[in-house]
Amino acid sequence: MRRLIVTADDFGAAVEVNEAVEEGARNGVLRAASLMVAAPGCEDAVARAKRTPKLQVGLHLVLVEGRPLLPTSQLPDLVTSEGLFRTDMARMGADIFFKPSVRRQLAEEITAQFDAFADTGLPLDHVNTHKHYHLHPTIASLMLQIGRCYGLRASRAPVEPRAVLADTDPAAAPPPAYVTEPWARLVRARYRMAGVGMADQVFGLAWSGAMTPARTAGIIRHLPDGLSEIYLHPATAGGFEGAAPGYHYADELAALTSAETAEAVAESGAVLGAFSDFAPRHGGRA
């Protein structure tokens, strides 16, 4: 049986993103969105979510390349002089691993973001991180430990079958994910052992920002059995604060609402839903 969760990341980043998320849920295949609670469009995103019954919302923890929720004075080792999270993920990851003071700051920020999500009144569908930073083992531990207190039931590990991508768009098939996939598999196994629901395969990493209608429909037509997640970054327009250079935001919105995508879902026989619709069982396998 094929089950499919279509998720939008960066919900709350800007009104342009929020508009696209609402449209994708009302008029397309979108069923879940991951909320940035410290982003400038968070309040608008929450209001849209509450009036969009098809949409379930999770927490998109931002710990790198974004705005912190806590005052920067409480996060001296995590932020730059401009008051934003550091962008040197490898060096920052080493600091997190080796320095207890950095881990304490990180734990406080993670807790604050969970608190902020709880304050929205929205049910917590899932939790993931910006740039998949929870593939770092220390961040994975803190997210799991703190998240349990807030009802963490589902997360994401980007294990992306390259064979499906090659069948979908042979000319743009990416090489194997030698760096990320081993860590993703470890996180998936670890979280499943803890009873957290995880998809069997996730799509959106290799073609991040370039999930066109044709690629999205193609992936759906080639879905393996089990639970799959496809995540996208839709927006009605680019140019907002924090927008990623080169991302085709409008194309990713079109992928959510196109007739081609809807037809692919129907042809595949996949059941659409959010993480909360596919409750974890048997050691966290959703």
Side-chain angles (χ1 to χ4, degrees):
M1 181 178 177
R2 296 180 178 90
R3 294 165 292 159
L4 175 61
I5 301 165
V6 182
T7 309
D9 278 2
D10 300 351
F11 193 32
V15 170
E16 294 89 340
V17 175
N18 301 344
E19 291 172 339
V21 168
E22 184 173 10
E23 183 177 346
R26 290 185 180 276
N27 302 311
V29 298
L30 188 66
R31 294 295 179 269
S34 303
L35 179 67
M36 293 174 150
V37 293
C42 178
E43 185 175 349
D44 175 74
V46 171
R48 290 175 188 272
K50 289 181 176 180
R51 68 187 188 219
T52 310
K54 287 184 179 180
L55 184 70
Q56 299 297 314
V57 181
L59 173 60
H60 197 49
L61 282 170
V62 178
L63 306 169
V64 64
E65 295 186 15
R67 295 175 179 271
L69 193 65
L70 292 176
T72 56
S73 59
Q74 294 180 228
L75 308 169
D77 297 302
L78 299 179
V79 299
T80 66
S81 58
E82 289 78 28
L84 300 175
F85 280 119
R86 292 164 55 179
T87 59
D88 55 338
M89 293 177 67
R91 185 172 179 180
M92 183 177 170
D95 288 345
I96 290 168
F97 187 82
F98 289 110
K99 298 180 180 179
S101 62
V102 179
R103 291 196 295 276
R104 284 194 296 270
Q105 294 169 39
L106 188 71
E108 290 173 1
E109 176 65 20
I110 291 173
T111 301
Q113 291 189 33
F114 270 104
D115 277 336
F117 188 94
D119 287 344
T120 68
L122 295 168
L124 182 64
D125 182 71
H126 60 274
V127 183
N128 53 46
T129 55
H130 192 48
K131 303 292 185 180
H132 296 109
Y133 212 15
H134 65 295
L135 297 188
H136 187 298
T138 305
I139 297 174
S141 295
L142 289 172
M143 183 172 127
L144 184 60
Q145 175 188 343
I146 296 166
R148 282 173 170 154
C149 302
Y150 294 86
L152 168 61
R153 295 188 301 164
S155 188
R156 175 194 296 158
V159 177
E160 188 172 40
R162 287 320 203 239
V164 173
L165 304 185
D167 289 339
T168 298
D169 189 348
Y178 292 117
V179 175
T180 59
E181 185 159 328
W183 295 104
R185 289 185 178 276
L186 285 171
V187 166
R188 186 176 66 181
R190 181 179 181 186
Y191 273 39
R192 279 179 170 171
M193 288 183 65
V196 176
M198 307 290 282
D200 298 298
Q201 49 271 328
V202 175
F203 299 96
L205 179 64
W207 292 332
S208 185
M211 291 287 285
T212 62
R215 284 176 173 169
T216 302
I219 289 171
I220 293 170
R221 290 192 179 97
H222 292 94
L223 279 182
D225 289 339
L227 178 63
S228 299
E229 182 188 9
I230 299 176
Y231 71 94
L232 302 92
H233 299 84
T236 53
F240 52 87
E241 178 187 332
Y247 268 40
H248 301 280
Y249 290 102
D251 286 345
E252 300 216 352
L253 170 56
L256 296 174
T257 58
S258 73
E260 184 180 9
T261 302
E263 291 166 3
V265 172
E267 291 169 6
S268 72
V271 177
L272 279 174
F275 283 97
S276 53
D277 297 313
F278 305 121
R281 61 182 185 274
H282 305 311
R285 182 181 294 274

